[in-house]
């Protein structure tokens, strides 16, 4: 498949006396998000969306909460690993669309800064990142931050180097055709071809 999608979701409860970090952005607020790591609900949902797009598991399988190494960890580490997994699988990020759901603080005034930070962490242009925020109307979840994220990824096209190798093979086939035609016309040697040549890719080292 050339294009795949991934979806991620996360939620964290607000806790007094903890720094608030959402989308890799430190935010002035009396409460932060409780968690084994820095509690960055947005980066966790986004990491799961990226891992999900190539079906390699979830954030918990890579970074188990039982592992003391991830206590208080910067969630950008998780996101970086997901991006590496994506590249190793032969894909690159197309775009991400993210919805935050929380009562406070208001995201509107800092949405631009948060979007720029996420684009920077993903190393993609700004127009590939969308961040929207809603309040949890009617859910009685004002003490919780939730986040949904979807990511579209696309297979990396074969490199220019590989393309030119294909060109060489094509030219070689054409060359053999020309030589056979010449032999056939000059010496009456019957043409060997009839079926297209089959390449055993295991033999190409
Ligand atoms: Mg989380």
């Amino acid at each position: 498949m050339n294009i795949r999608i991934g979806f991620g979701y996360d939620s964290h409860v607000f806790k007094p006396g903890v720094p608030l970090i959402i989308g890799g952005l430190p935010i002035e607020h009396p409460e932060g998000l409780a968690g084994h790591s820095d509690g960055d609900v947005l980066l966790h949902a986004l990491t799961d969306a990226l891992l999900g797009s190539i079906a390699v598991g979830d954030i918990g399988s890579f970074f188990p909460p039982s592992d003391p190494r991830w206590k208080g960890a910067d969630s950008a580490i998780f996101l970086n690993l997901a991006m590496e997994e994506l590249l190793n699988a032969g894909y690159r990020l197309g775009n991400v669309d993210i919805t935050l759901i929380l009562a406070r603080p208001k995201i509107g005034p800092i949405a631009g800064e948060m979007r720029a930070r996420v684009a920077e962490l993903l190393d993609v242009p700004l127009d590939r990142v969308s961040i929207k925020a809603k309040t949890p109307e009617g859910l009685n979840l004002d003490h919780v931050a939730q986040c949904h994220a979807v990511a579209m990824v696309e297979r990396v096209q074969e490199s220019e180097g590989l393309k030119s190798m294909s060109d060489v093979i094509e030219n070689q086939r054409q060359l053999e055709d020309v030589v056979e035609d010449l032999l056939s016309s000059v010496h009456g040697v019957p043409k060997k071809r009839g079926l297209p040549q089959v390449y055993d890719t295991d033999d190409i080292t």
Side-chain angles (χ1 to χ4, degrees), residues 154-192:
E154 56 191 352
R155 185 178 284 283
V156 176
Q157 296 300 310
E158 61 181 15
S159 73
E160 287 307 309
L162 287 173
K163 269 182 190 160
S164 31
M165 191 187 287
S166 311
D167 291 344
V168 168
I169 291 168
E170 277 304 310
N171 290 338
Q172 195 172 326
R173 275 184 193 163
Q174 287 162 7
L175 184 67
E176 284 169 4
D177 284 349
V178 170
V179 170
E180 272 196 44
D181 281 343
L182 279 170
L183 286 172
S184 175
S185 62
V186 174
H187 301 292
V189 177
K191 291 183 179 181
K192 284 182 289 184

PDB file of all heavy atoms in Angstrom, residues 154-192:
ATOM      1  N   GLU A 154       2.849   7.945   3.700  1.00  0.00           N
ATOM      2  CA  GLU A 154       2.968   7.482   2.312  1.00  0.00           C
ATOM      3  C   GLU A 154       4.291   6.767   2.120  1.00  0.00           C
ATOM      4  O   GLU A 154       5.300   7.122   2.740  1.00  0.00           O
ATOM      5  CB  GLU A 154       2.841   8.655   1.338  1.00  0.00           C
ATOM      6  CG  GLU A 154       3.822   9.769   1.591  1.00  0.00           C
ATOM      7  CD  GLU A 154       3.517  11.020   0.799  1.00  0.00           C
ATOM      8  OE1 GLU A 154       2.635  10.988  -0.056  1.00  0.00           O
ATOM      9  OE2 GLU A 154       4.185  12.046   1.058  1.00  0.00           O
ATOM     10  N   ARG A 155       4.265   5.755   1.266  1.00  0.00           N
ATOM     11  CA  ARG A 155       5.484   4.994   0.996  1.00  0.00           C
ATOM     12  C   ARG A 155       6.496   5.888   0.289  1.00  0.00           C
ATOM     13  O   ARG A 155       6.128   6.667  -0.586  1.00  0.00           O
ATOM     14  CB  ARG A 155       5.167   3.770   0.126  1.00  0.00           C
ATOM     15  CG  ARG A 155       6.361   2.869  -0.081  1.00  0.00           C
ATOM     16  CD  ARG A 155       5.995   1.645  -0.899  1.00  0.00           C
ATOM     17  NE  ARG A 155       5.258   0.668  -0.130  1.00  0.00           N
ATOM     18  CZ  ARG A 155       5.814  -0.160   0.763  1.00  0.00           C
ATOM     19  NH1 ARG A 155       7.101  -0.092   1.025  1.00  0.00           N
ATOM     20  NH2 ARG A 155       5.084  -1.042   1.398  1.00  0.00           N
ATOM     21  N   VAL A 156       7.736   5.793   0.707  1.00  0.00           N
ATOM     22  CA  VAL A 156       8.794   6.571   0.077  1.00  0.00           C
ATOM     23  C   VAL A 156       9.055   5.987  -1.303  1.00  0.00           C
ATOM     24  O   VAL A 156       9.178   4.775  -1.454  1.00  0.00           O
ATOM     25  CB  VAL A 156      10.083   6.524   0.934  1.00  0.00           C
ATOM     26  CG1 VAL A 156      11.212   7.259   0.241  1.00  0.00           C
ATOM     27  CG2 VAL A 156       9.813   7.095   2.315  1.00  0.00           C
ATOM     28  N   GLN A 157       9.052   6.850  -2.326  1.00  0.00           N
ATOM     29  CA  GLN A 157       9.289   6.385  -3.699  1.00  0.00           C
ATOM     30  C   GLN A 157      10.705   5.847  -3.817  1.00  0.00           C
ATOM     31  O   GLN A 157      11.594   6.267  -3.086  1.00  0.00           O
ATOM     32  CB  GLN A 157       9.102   7.545  -4.689  1.00  0.00           C
ATOM     33  CG  GLN A 157       7.680   8.071  -4.710  1.00  0.00           C
ATOM     34  CD  GLN A 157       6.663   7.005  -5.100  1.00  0.00           C
ATOM     35  OE1 GLN A 157       6.835   6.330  -6.099  1.00  0.00           O
ATOM     36  NE2 GLN A 157       5.621   6.846  -4.290  1.00  0.00           N
ATOM     37  N   GLU A 158      10.908   4.928  -4.762  1.00  0.00           N
ATOM     38  CA  GLU A 158      12.249   4.381  -4.944  1.00  0.00           C
ATOM     39  C   GLU A 158      13.213   5.520  -5.290  1.00  0.00           C
ATOM     40  O   GLU A 158      12.839   6.478  -5.953  1.00  0.00           O
ATOM     41  CB  GLU A 158      12.275   3.296  -6.006  1.00  0.00           C
ATOM     42  CG  GLU A 158      11.865   3.761  -7.386  1.00  0.00           C
ATOM     43  CD  GLU A 158      11.902   2.603  -8.378  1.00  0.00           C
ATOM     44  OE1 GLU A 158      11.953   1.452  -7.938  1.00  0.00           O
ATOM     45  OE2 GLU A 158      11.881   2.876  -9.568  1.00  0.00           O
ATOM     46  N   SER A 159      14.425   5.357  -4.807  1.00  0.00           N
ATOM     47  CA  SER A 159      15.380   6.453  -4.956  1.00  0.00           C
ATOM     48  C   SER A 159      15.800   6.625  -6.413  1.00  0.00           C
ATOM     49  O   SER A 159      15.598   5.740  -7.232  1.00  0.00           O
ATOM     50  CB  SER A 159      16.615   6.178  -4.101  1.00  0.00           C
ATOM     51  OG  SER A 159      17.355   5.157  -4.714  1.00  0.00           O
ATOM     52  N   GLU A 160      16.372   7.769  -6.681  1.00  0.00           N
ATOM     53  CA  GLU A 160      16.840   8.040  -8.045  1.00  0.00           C
ATOM     54  C   GLU A 160      17.851   6.982  -8.485  1.00  0.00           C
ATOM     55  O   GLU A 160      17.885   6.572  -9.622  1.00  0.00           O
ATOM     56  CB  GLU A 160      17.473   9.432  -8.118  1.00  0.00           C
ATOM     57  CG  GLU A 160      16.452  10.557  -8.064  1.00  0.00           C
ATOM     58  CD  GLU A 160      15.350  10.411  -9.105  1.00  0.00           C
ATOM     59  OE1 GLU A 160      15.690  10.225 -10.278  1.00  0.00           O
ATOM     60  OE2 GLU A 160      14.172  10.435  -8.746  1.00  0.00           O
ATOM     61  N   GLY A 161      18.692   6.530  -7.526  1.00  0.00           N
ATOM     62  CA  GLY A 161      19.704   5.524  -7.831  1.00  0.00           C
ATOM     63  C   GLY A 161      19.075   4.234  -8.331  1.00  0.00           C
ATOM     64  O   GLY A 161      19.495   3.660  -9.323  1.00  0.00           O
ATOM     65  N   LEU A 162      17.997   3.790  -7.637  1.00  0.00           N
ATOM     66  CA  LEU A 162      17.336   2.559  -8.045  1.00  0.00           C
ATOM     67  C   LEU A 162      16.646   2.735  -9.386  1.00  0.00           C
ATOM     68  O   LEU A 162      16.597   1.828 -10.192  1.00  0.00           O
ATOM     69  CB  LEU A 162      16.306   2.155  -6.979  1.00  0.00           C
ATOM     70  CG  LEU A 162      16.894   1.595  -5.692  1.00  0.00           C
ATOM     71  CD1 LEU A 162      15.798   1.395  -4.653  1.00  0.00           C
ATOM     72  CD2 LEU A 162      17.579   0.271  -5.957  1.00  0.00           C
ATOM     73  N   LYS A 163      16.126   3.930  -9.628  1.00  0.00           N
ATOM     74  CA  LYS A 163      15.472   4.185 -10.902  1.00  0.00           C
ATOM     75  C   LYS A 163      16.464   4.009 -12.048  1.00  0.00           C
ATOM     76  O   LYS A 163      16.158   3.392 -13.050  1.00  0.00           O
ATOM     77  CB  LYS A 163      14.901   5.606 -10.923  1.00  0.00           C
ATOM     78  CG  LYS A 163      13.469   5.671 -10.434  1.00  0.00           C
ATOM     79  CD  LYS A 163      12.947   7.078 -10.535  1.00  0.00           C
ATOM     80  CE  LYS A 163      11.619   7.192  -9.840  1.00  0.00           C
ATOM     81  NZ  LYS A 163      11.275   8.549  -9.503  1.00  0.00           N
ATOM     82  N   SER A 164      17.666   4.560 -11.855  1.00  0.00           N
ATOM     83  CA  SER A 164      18.613   4.453 -12.956  1.00  0.00           C
ATOM     84  C   SER A 164      19.078   3.015 -13.143  1.00  0.00           C
ATOM     85  O   SER A 164      19.382   2.598 -14.238  1.00  0.00           O
ATOM     86  CB  SER A 164      19.806   5.395 -12.790  1.00  0.00           C
ATOM     87  OG  SER A 164      20.111   5.593 -11.474  1.00  0.00           O
ATOM     88  N   MET A 165      19.053   2.199 -12.067  1.00  0.00           N
ATOM     89  CA  MET A 165      19.402   0.794 -12.217  1.00  0.00           C
ATOM     90  C   MET A 165      18.338   0.108 -13.089  1.00  0.00           C
ATOM     91  O   MET A 165      18.669  -0.711 -13.960  1.00  0.00           O
ATOM     92  CB  MET A 165      19.454   0.108 -10.848  1.00  0.00           C
ATOM     93  CG  MET A 165      20.072  -1.271 -10.904  1.00  0.00           C
ATOM     94  SD  MET A 165      19.946  -2.111  -9.330  1.00  0.00           S
ATOM     95  CE  MET A 165      21.157  -1.217  -8.390  1.00  0.00           C
ATOM     96  N   SER A 166      17.064   0.456 -12.881  1.00  0.00           N
ATOM     97  CA  SER A 166      15.998  -0.103 -13.724  1.00  0.00           C
ATOM     98  C   SER A 166      16.216   0.300 -15.167  1.00  0.00           C
ATOM     99  O   SER A 166      16.017  -0.503 -16.079  1.00  0.00           O
ATOM    100  CB  SER A 166      14.633   0.421 -13.285  1.00  0.00           C
ATOM    101  OG  SER A 166      14.463   0.288 -11.925  1.00  0.00           O
ATOM    102  N   ASP A 167      16.636   1.547 -15.366  1.00  0.00           N
ATOM    103  CA  ASP A 167      16.887   2.017 -16.729  1.00  0.00           C
ATOM    104  C   ASP A 167      17.965   1.167 -17.389  1.00  0.00           C
ATOM    105  O   ASP A 167      17.860   0.795 -18.551  1.00  0.00           O
ATOM    106  CB  ASP A 167      17.347   3.488 -16.725  1.00  0.00           C
ATOM    107  CG  ASP A 167      16.198   4.405 -16.313  1.00  0.00           C
ATOM    108  OD1 ASP A 167      15.037   3.931 -16.348  1.00  0.00           O
ATOM    109  OD2 ASP A 167      16.467   5.558 -15.970  1.00  0.00           O
ATOM    110  N   VAL A 168      19.021   0.839 -16.626  1.00  0.00           N
ATOM    111  CA  VAL A 168      20.128   0.055 -17.173  1.00  0.00           C
ATOM    112  C   VAL A 168      19.610  -1.300 -17.618  1.00  0.00           C
ATOM    113  O   VAL A 168      19.913  -1.771 -18.717  1.00  0.00           O
ATOM    114  CB  VAL A 168      21.255  -0.120 -16.118  1.00  0.00           C
ATOM    115  CG1 VAL A 168      22.262  -1.164 -16.572  1.00  0.00           C
ATOM    116  CG2 VAL A 168      21.929   1.217 -15.862  1.00  0.00           C
ATOM    117  N   ILE A 169      18.783  -1.946 -16.769  1.00  0.00           N
ATOM    118  CA  ILE A 169      18.251  -3.274 -17.106  1.00  0.00           C
ATOM    119  C   ILE A 169      17.403  -3.181 -18.376  1.00  0.00           C
ATOM    120  O   ILE A 169      17.509  -3.999 -19.263  1.00  0.00           O
ATOM    121  CB  ILE A 169      17.433  -3.846 -15.915  1.00  0.00           C
ATOM    122  CG1 ILE A 169      18.372  -4.174 -14.762  1.00  0.00           C
ATOM    123  CG2 ILE A 169      16.665  -5.090 -16.342  1.00  0.00           C
ATOM    124  CD1 ILE A 169      17.681  -4.456 -13.454  1.00  0.00           C
ATOM    125  N   GLU A 170      16.583  -2.145 -18.454  1.00  0.00           N
ATOM    126  CA  GLU A 170      15.752  -1.970 -19.648  1.00  0.00           C
ATOM    127  C   GLU A 170      16.622  -1.837 -20.889  1.00  0.00           C
ATOM    128  O   GLU A 170      16.368  -2.440 -21.921  1.00  0.00           O
ATOM    129  CB  GLU A 170      14.882  -0.717 -19.489  1.00  0.00           C
ATOM    130  CG  GLU A 170      13.612  -0.946 -18.684  1.00  0.00           C
ATOM    131  CD  GLU A 170      12.754  -2.079 -19.266  1.00  0.00           C
ATOM    132  OE1 GLU A 170      12.489  -2.076 -20.482  1.00  0.00           O
ATOM    133  OE2 GLU A 170      12.389  -2.979 -18.518  1.00  0.00           O
ATOM    134  N   ASN A 171      17.674  -1.017 -20.774  1.00  0.00           N
ATOM    135  CA  ASN A 171      18.544  -0.799 -21.918  1.00  0.00           C
ATOM    136  C   ASN A 171      19.256  -2.079 -22.327  1.00  0.00           C
ATOM    137  O   ASN A 171      19.452  -2.350 -23.498  1.00  0.00           O
ATOM    138  CB  ASN A 171      19.583   0.288 -21.609  1.00  0.00           C
ATOM    139  CG  ASN A 171      18.897   1.639 -21.526  1.00  0.00           C
ATOM    140  OD1 ASN A 171      17.816   1.812 -22.078  1.00  0.00           O
ATOM    141  ND2 ASN A 171      19.514   2.574 -20.821  1.00  0.00           N
ATOM    142  N   GLN A 172      19.638  -2.901 -21.330  1.00  0.00           N
ATOM    143  CA  GLN A 172      20.345  -4.142 -21.620  1.00  0.00           C
ATOM    144  C   GLN A 172      19.423  -5.097 -22.385  1.00  0.00           C
ATOM    145  O   GLN A 172      19.838  -5.760 -23.320  1.00  0.00           O
ATOM    146  CB  GLN A 172      20.815  -4.784 -20.315  1.00  0.00           C
ATOM    147  CG  GLN A 172      21.862  -5.858 -20.548  1.00  0.00           C
ATOM    148  CD  GLN A 172      22.449  -6.320 -19.231  1.00  0.00           C
ATOM    149  OE1 GLN A 172      22.589  -5.527 -18.305  1.00  0.00           O
ATOM    150  NE2 GLN A 172      22.783  -7.591 -19.145  1.00  0.00           N
ATOM    151  N   ARG A 173      18.146  -5.124 -21.967  1.00  0.00           N
ATOM    152  CA  ARG A 173      17.178  -5.965 -22.681  1.00  0.00           C
ATOM    153  C   ARG A 173      17.076  -5.518 -24.143  1.00  0.00           C
ATOM    154  O   ARG A 173      17.070  -6.329 -25.057  1.00  0.00           O
ATOM    155  CB  ARG A 173      15.795  -5.818 -22.036  1.00  0.00           C
ATOM    156  CG  ARG A 173      15.589  -6.725 -20.862  1.00  0.00           C
ATOM    157  CD  ARG A 173      14.153  -6.562 -20.382  1.00  0.00           C
ATOM    158  NE  ARG A 173      13.975  -7.174 -19.082  1.00  0.00           N
ATOM    159  CZ  ARG A 173      12.957  -6.925 -18.286  1.00  0.00           C
ATOM    160  NH1 ARG A 173      12.039  -6.041 -18.635  1.00  0.00           N
ATOM    161  NH2 ARG A 173      12.848  -7.528 -17.127  1.00  0.00           N
ATOM    162  N   GLN A 174      16.994  -4.214 -24.303  1.00  0.00           N
ATOM    163  CA  GLN A 174      16.852  -3.682 -25.657  1.00  0.00           C
ATOM    164  C   GLN A 174      18.098  -4.014 -26.483  1.00  0.00           C
ATOM    165  O   GLN A 174      18.007  -4.378 -27.659  1.00  0.00           O
ATOM    166  CB  GLN A 174      16.639  -2.166 -25.606  1.00  0.00           C
ATOM    167  CG  GLN A 174      15.247  -1.806 -25.118  1.00  0.00           C
ATOM    168  CD  GLN A 174      15.136  -0.375 -24.645  1.00  0.00           C
ATOM    169  OE1 GLN A 174      16.077   0.398 -24.811  1.00  0.00           O
ATOM    170  NE2 GLN A 174      14.009  -0.031 -24.072  1.00  0.00           N
ATOM    171  N   LEU A 175      19.273  -3.925 -25.839  1.00  0.00           N
ATOM    172  CA  LEU A 175      20.532  -4.224 -26.521  1.00  0.00           C
ATOM    173  C   LEU A 175      20.548  -5.674 -26.993  1.00  0.00           C
ATOM    174  O   LEU A 175      20.915  -5.969 -28.139  1.00  0.00           O
ATOM    175  CB  LEU A 175      21.702  -3.962 -25.565  1.00  0.00           C
ATOM    176  CG  LEU A 175      23.097  -4.129 -26.144  1.00  0.00           C
ATOM    177  CD1 LEU A 175      23.375  -3.068 -27.203  1.00  0.00           C
ATOM    178  CD2 LEU A 175      24.148  -4.030 -25.036  1.00  0.00           C
ATOM    179  N   GLU A 176      20.103  -6.598 -26.100  1.00  0.00           N
ATOM    180  CA  GLU A 176      20.067  -8.018 -26.470  1.00  0.00           C
ATOM    181  C   GLU A 176      19.130  -8.245 -27.645  1.00  0.00           C
ATOM    182  O   GLU A 176      19.414  -9.046 -28.546  1.00  0.00           O
ATOM    183  CB  GLU A 176      19.621  -8.861 -25.275  1.00  0.00           C
ATOM    184  CG  GLU A 176      20.723  -9.030 -24.237  1.00  0.00           C
ATOM    185  CD  GLU A 176      20.232  -9.623 -22.925  1.00  0.00           C
ATOM    186  OE1 GLU A 176      19.035  -9.990 -22.841  1.00  0.00           O
ATOM    187  OE2 GLU A 176      21.039  -9.693 -21.989  1.00  0.00           O
ATOM    188  N   ASP A 177      18.025  -7.527 -27.661  1.00  0.00           N
ATOM    189  CA  ASP A 177      17.076  -7.639 -28.773  1.00  0.00           C
ATOM    190  C   ASP A 177      17.740  -7.252 -30.090  1.00  0.00           C
ATOM    191  O   ASP A 177      17.596  -7.933 -31.101  1.00  0.00           O
ATOM    192  CB  ASP A 177      15.866  -6.722 -28.530  1.00  0.00           C
ATOM    193  CG  ASP A 177      14.929  -7.313 -27.504  1.00  0.00           C
ATOM    194  OD1 ASP A 177      15.115  -8.498 -27.161  1.00  0.00           O
ATOM    195  OD2 ASP A 177      14.016  -6.597 -27.042  1.00  0.00           O
ATOM    196  N   VAL A 178      18.457  -6.142 -30.045  1.00  0.00           N
ATOM    197  CA  VAL A 178      19.106  -5.639 -31.257  1.00  0.00           C
ATOM    198  C   VAL A 178      20.147  -6.641 -31.751  1.00  0.00           C
ATOM    199  O   VAL A 178      20.213  -6.967 -32.941  1.00  0.00           O
ATOM    200  CB  VAL A 178      19.773  -4.263 -30.975  1.00  0.00           C
ATOM    201  CG1 VAL A 178      20.652  -3.834 -32.133  1.00  0.00           C
ATOM    202  CG2 VAL A 178      18.707  -3.217 -30.683  1.00  0.00           C
ATOM    203  N   VAL A 179      20.969  -7.195 -30.817  1.00  0.00           N
ATOM    204  CA  VAL A 179      22.004  -8.167 -31.198  1.00  0.00           C
ATOM    205  C   VAL A 179      21.357  -9.407 -31.808  1.00  0.00           C
ATOM    206  O   VAL A 179      21.799  -9.925 -32.843  1.00  0.00           O
ATOM    207  CB  VAL A 179      22.865  -8.548 -29.960  1.00  0.00           C
ATOM    208  CG1 VAL A 179      23.778  -9.730 -30.273  1.00  0.00           C
ATOM    209  CG2 VAL A 179      23.691  -7.346 -29.521  1.00  0.00           C
ATOM    210  N   GLU A 180      20.280  -9.880 -31.190  1.00  0.00           N
ATOM    211  CA  GLU A 180      19.601 -11.070 -31.717  1.00  0.00           C
ATOM    212  C   GLU A 180      19.047 -10.819 -33.109  1.00  0.00           C
ATOM    213  O   GLU A 180      19.125 -11.676 -33.985  1.00  0.00           O
ATOM    214  CB  GLU A 180      18.462 -11.479 -30.770  1.00  0.00           C
ATOM    215  CG  GLU A 180      18.927 -12.401 -29.674  1.00  0.00           C
ATOM    216  CD  GLU A 180      17.770 -13.105 -28.991  1.00  0.00           C
ATOM    217  OE1 GLU A 180      16.865 -13.579 -29.723  1.00  0.00           O
ATOM    218  OE2 GLU A 180      17.762 -13.147 -27.760  1.00  0.00           O
ATOM    219  N   ASP A 181      18.496  -9.654 -33.301  1.00  0.00           N
ATOM    220  CA  ASP A 181      17.954  -9.304 -34.617  1.00  0.00           C
ATOM    221  C   ASP A 181      19.060  -9.329 -35.669  1.00  0.00           C
ATOM    222  O   ASP A 181      18.876  -9.853 -36.775  1.00  0.00           O
ATOM    223  CB  ASP A 181      17.313  -7.915 -34.576  1.00  0.00           C
ATOM    224  CG  ASP A 181      15.927  -7.965 -33.938  1.00  0.00           C
ATOM    225  OD1 ASP A 181      15.372  -9.082 -33.841  1.00  0.00           O
ATOM    226  OD2 ASP A 181      15.418  -6.894 -33.548  1.00  0.00           O
ATOM    227  N   LEU A 182      20.212  -8.784 -35.299  1.00  0.00           N
ATOM    228  CA  LEU A 182      21.346  -8.743 -36.224  1.00  0.00           C
ATOM    229  C   LEU A 182      21.813 -10.150 -36.572  1.00  0.00           C
ATOM    230  O   LEU A 182      22.018 -10.495 -37.731  1.00  0.00           O
ATOM    231  CB  LEU A 182      22.512  -7.944 -35.607  1.00  0.00           C
ATOM    232  CG  LEU A 182      22.405  -6.422 -35.706  1.00  0.00           C
ATOM    233  CD1 LEU A 182      23.483  -5.776 -34.855  1.00  0.00           C
ATOM    234  CD2 LEU A 182      22.537  -5.989 -37.169  1.00  0.00           C
ATOM    235  N   LEU A 183      21.995 -11.000 -35.528  1.00  0.00           N
ATOM    236  CA  LEU A 183      22.443 -12.384 -35.751  1.00  0.00           C
ATOM    237  C   LEU A 183      21.455 -13.130 -36.630  1.00  0.00           C
ATOM    238  O   LEU A 183      21.830 -13.881 -37.523  1.00  0.00           O
ATOM    239  CB  LEU A 183      22.585 -13.107 -34.391  1.00  0.00           C
ATOM    240  CG  LEU A 183      23.792 -12.725 -33.548  1.00  0.00           C
ATOM    241  CD1 LEU A 183      23.683 -13.363 -32.163  1.00  0.00           C
ATOM    242  CD2 LEU A 183      25.086 -13.160 -34.227  1.00  0.00           C
ATOM    243  N   SER A 184      20.191 -12.889 -36.372  1.00  0.00           N
ATOM    244  CA  SER A 184      19.148 -13.579 -37.118  1.00  0.00           C
ATOM    245  C   SER A 184      19.181 -13.185 -38.586  1.00  0.00           C
ATOM    246  O   SER A 184      19.069 -14.036 -39.476  1.00  0.00           O
ATOM    247  CB  SER A 184      17.800 -13.240 -36.483  1.00  0.00           C
ATOM    248  OG  SER A 184      16.773 -13.785 -37.244  1.00  0.00           O
ATOM    249  N   SER A 185      19.365 -11.913 -38.846  1.00  0.00           N
ATOM    250  CA  SER A 185      19.315 -11.443 -40.229  1.00  0.00           C
ATOM    251  C   SER A 185      20.587 -11.798 -40.991  1.00  0.00           C
ATOM    252  O   SER A 185      20.540 -12.144 -42.160  1.00  0.00           O
ATOM    253  CB  SER A 185      19.079  -9.933 -40.263  1.00  0.00           C
ATOM    254  OG  SER A 185      20.152  -9.278 -39.637  1.00  0.00           O
ATOM    255  N   VAL A 186      21.764 -11.765 -40.313  1.00  0.00           N
ATOM    256  CA  VAL A 186      23.037 -12.017 -40.994  1.00  0.00           C
ATOM    257  C   VAL A 186      23.302 -13.505 -41.148  1.00  0.00           C
ATOM    258  O   VAL A 186      23.661 -13.988 -42.205  1.00  0.00           O
ATOM    259  CB  VAL A 186      24.205 -11.325 -40.249  1.00  0.00           C
ATOM    260  CG1 VAL A 186      25.540 -11.695 -40.866  1.00  0.00           C
ATOM    261  CG2 VAL A 186      24.005  -9.819 -40.246  1.00  0.00           C
ATOM    262  N   HIS A 187      23.126 -14.295 -40.046  1.00  0.00           N
ATOM    263  CA  HIS A 187      23.508 -15.706 -40.063  1.00  0.00           C
ATOM    264  C   HIS A 187      22.309 -16.643 -40.059  1.00  0.00           C
ATOM    265  O   HIS A 187      22.480 -17.864 -40.021  1.00  0.00           O
ATOM    266  CB  HIS A 187      24.393 -16.031 -38.850  1.00  0.00           C
ATOM    267  CG  HIS A 187      25.642 -15.213 -38.802  1.00  0.00           C
ATOM    268  ND1 HIS A 187      26.645 -15.373 -39.736  1.00  0.00           N
ATOM    269  CD2 HIS A 187      26.056 -14.235 -37.966  1.00  0.00           C
ATOM    270  CE1 HIS A 187      27.626 -14.506 -39.459  1.00  0.00           C
ATOM    271  NE2 HIS A 187      27.284 -13.812 -38.387  1.00  0.00           N
ATOM    272  N   GLY A 188      21.157 -16.103 -40.027  1.00  0.00           N
ATOM    273  CA  GLY A 188      19.979 -16.955 -39.983  1.00  0.00           C
ATOM    274  C   GLY A 188      19.804 -17.681 -38.660  1.00  0.00           C
ATOM    275  O   GLY A 188      19.157 -18.708 -38.580  1.00  0.00           O
ATOM    276  N   VAL A 189      20.439 -17.157 -37.590  1.00  0.00           N
ATOM    277  CA  VAL A 189      20.288 -17.769 -36.259  1.00  0.00           C
ATOM    278  C   VAL A 189      18.870 -17.497 -35.762  1.00  0.00           C
ATOM    279  O   VAL A 189      18.424 -16.358 -35.776  1.00  0.00           O
ATOM    280  CB  VAL A 189      21.322 -17.172 -35.262  1.00  0.00           C
ATOM    281  CG1 VAL A 189      21.123 -17.755 -33.865  1.00  0.00           C
ATOM    282  CG2 VAL A 189      22.729 -17.425 -35.768  1.00  0.00           C
ATOM    283  N   PRO A 190      18.161 -18.583 -35.375  1.00  0.00           N
ATOM    284  CA  PRO A 190      16.795 -18.334 -34.895  1.00  0.00           C
ATOM    285  C   PRO A 190      16.776 -17.510 -33.609  1.00  0.00           C
ATOM    286  O   PRO A 190      17.672 -17.642 -32.774  1.00  0.00           O
ATOM    287  CB  PRO A 190      16.243 -19.750 -34.648  1.00  0.00           C
ATOM    288  CG  PRO A 190      17.433 -20.628 -34.545  1.00  0.00           C
ATOM    289  CD  PRO A 190      18.557 -19.982 -35.301  1.00  0.00           C
ATOM    290  N   LYS A 191      15.758 -16.716 -33.504  1.00  0.00           N
ATOM    291  CA  LYS A 191      15.631 -15.881 -32.294  1.00  0.00           C
ATOM    292  C   LYS A 191      15.295 -16.762 -31.105  1.00  0.00           C
ATOM    293  O   LYS A 191      14.443 -17.639 -31.200  1.00  0.00           O
ATOM    294  CB  LYS A 191      14.536 -14.847 -32.499  1.00  0.00           C
ATOM    295  CG  LYS A 191      14.899 -13.785 -33.524  1.00  0.00           C
ATOM    296  CD  LYS A 191      13.804 -12.748 -33.621  1.00  0.00           C
ATOM    297  CE  LYS A 191      14.190 -11.687 -34.631  1.00  0.00           C
ATOM    298  NZ  LYS A 191      13.164 -10.647 -34.739  1.00  0.00           N
ATOM    299  N   LYS A 192      15.995 -16.533 -29.991  1.00  0.00           N
ATOM    300  CA  LYS A 192      15.780 -17.343 -28.789  1.00  0.00           C
ATOM    301  C   LYS A 192      14.580 -16.845 -27.991  1.00  0.00           C
ATOM    302  O   LYS A 192      13.921 -17.575 -27.313  1.00  0.00           O
ATOM    303  CB  LYS A 192      17.030 -17.296 -27.895  1.00  0.00           C
ATOM    304  CG  LYS A 192      18.171 -18.150 -28.411  1.00  0.00           C
ATOM    305  CD  LYS A 192      19.349 -18.096 -27.467  1.00  0.00           C
ATOM    306  CE  LYS A 192      20.019 -16.734 -27.515  1.00  0.00           C
ATOM    307  NZ  LYS A 192      21.215 -16.665 -26.685  1.00  0.00           N
TER     308      LYS A 192
END
